[in-house]
Amino acid sequence: MKKKKYIKVAKEVIDLEIKALVKLKKSISNSFNLAVQQILKCQSKVILCGVGKSGLIGKKISATLNSTGTSAIFIHAGEASHGDIGAVKPNDIFLAISKSGNTREITDLIPFLKNNGNFLIGMTSNRSSMLAKISNLILFTPFKEEACPNKLSPTSSSITQLAIGDALAMT
């Protein structure tokens, strides 16, 4: 690949991610206000949970929340079902991040969270997913397409998750 082609690809990736962020900005609704209100009145901690790239984004959002004085931890969804769910207390807010909203490791936790009385915020790109249907509120992260040539690697979807997480923390 020639050097000029590298620059062209870089600009195309950034353009697709900008389009995703513009779409995200337009989609921000009252559910964002409600999420902020729940986090502000939380007397315990915010628990972020995800798998794969969504999990990595969850770790970053957790760190940013802690930097702003909001107590937060990250729990990997796969580890949660093997005992780490014990860290979740009834007064915790649980923010589950899943592009599809149907990630099995996340959906398997929902019965526990409901029985435990946790307020569940779902962050997903799929409004008709199981996570969207069962959450107390949804932070919708729309995007048109991933910037990956094979449309597999999370790029546009990850940047929308990161941006809404940063917006939550800064708010």
Side-chain angles (χ1 to χ4, degrees):
M1 194 180 279
K2 294 182 181 180
K3 288 181 185 178
K4 288 189 180 199
K5 179 127 172 142
Y6 296 153
I7 292 169
K8 181 180 183 256
V9 169
K11 288 180 178 184
E12 289 170 355
V13 167
I14 292 167
D15 282 341
L16 279 172
E17 290 184 349
I18 288 170
K19 287 178 185 176
L21 290 171
V22 168
K23 193 171 188 168
L24 173 67
K25 183 178 175 183
K26 290 178 183 176
S27 77
I28 293 176
S29 67
N30 194 47
S31 64
F32 182 85
N33 284 333
L34 296 172
V36 171
Q37 290 169 359
Q38 287 296 318
I39 291 169
L40 285 173
K41 71 180 186 179
C42 181
Q43 297 297 309
S44 190
K45 62 190 173 297
V46 178
I47 298 176
L48 290 103
C49 187
V51 176
K53 303 306 179 280
S54 295
L56 295 172
I57 296 297
K59 286 180 185 180
K60 194 280 186 186
I61 295 169
S62 172
T64 303
L65 285 167
N66 281 309
S67 293
T68 64
T70 300
S71 182
I73 65 168
F74 173 80
I75 296 177
H76 187 279
E79 296 299 322
S81 60
H82 292 280
D84 286 1
I85 197 74
V88 181
K89 304 304 177 212
N91 291 333
D92 294 335
I93 292 175
F94 198 92
L95 199 164
I97 305 171
S98 170
K99 179 178 86 170
S100 72
N102 292 313
T103 305
R104 184 169 178 231
E105 293 90 341
I106 296 279
T107 59
D108 284 353
L109 301 175
I110 292 173
F112 169 83
L113 297 169
K114 290 299 177 179
N115 288 336
N116 203 39
N118 296 102
F119 190 87
L120 176 59
I121 300 172
M123 182 187 294
T124 183
S125 299
N126 182 357
R127 288 187 195 267
S128 62
S129 66
M130 179 183 246
L131 181 60
K133 290 175 184 173
I134 202 78
S135 294
N136 297 96
L137 63 90
I138 293 299
L139 293 174
F140 183 54
T141 52
F143 71 98
K144 186 175 180 182
E145 64 180 303
E146 301 288 11
C148 169
N150 298 323
K151 307 302 178 208
L152 298 173
S153 297
T155 51
S156 301
S157 59
S158 295
I159 201 81
T160 60
Q161 293 171 343
L162 180 61
I164 202 73
D166 283 347
L168 273 177
M170 295 305 105
T171 306

